[in-house]
Amino acid sequence: MPDIIDIAQEHAAEMLALQIAAARPKSAAVSSTFCESCDAPIPEARRRAVIGVSTCATCQEVIEHRAKVTGMRQGDRL
């Protein structure tokens, strides 16, 4: 028989799953087959995991690193 802690943990897990689902993009954007930065093929697993992806993981890391260093977000202008 579950006790109060078990019930609370189950509830917390359900709430987390709902919050994650709500935070995921609802876009039906089509993922690119090739990276827009380097033209390398984007793996199928990445295209399924990131809806509307347009860059390979390596280029995305570079973009995010530059944004972190400069304090700019993708799409911001100088």
Side-chain angles (χ1 to χ4, degrees):
M1 180 172 186
D3 64 5
I4 189 110
I5 299 299
D6 293 331
I7 294 168
Q9 287 178 331
E10 184 178 331
H11 177 71
E14 290 172 0
M15 293 304 295
L16 179 60
L18 288 172
Q19 291 170 341
I20 290 171
R24 291 198 179 217
K26 308 275 188 286
S27 170
V30 177
S31 296
S32 298
T33 307
F34 294 93
C35 177
E36 68 180 21
S37 297
C38 70
D39 292 326
I42 299 173
E44 177 68 25
R46 177 164 171 76
R47 287 185 278 141
R48 274 193 242 138
V50 183
I51 298 170
V53 69
S54 61
T55 55
C56 66
T58 304
C59 289
Q60 188 62 38
E61 285 180 19
V62 171
I63 290 167
E64 290 176 8
H65 177 73
R66 285 182 183 158
K68 183 177 178 181
V69 170
T70 63
M72 294 181 69
R73 295 181 308 251
Q74 188 173 1
D76 285 353
R77 296 181 186 222
L78 293 175

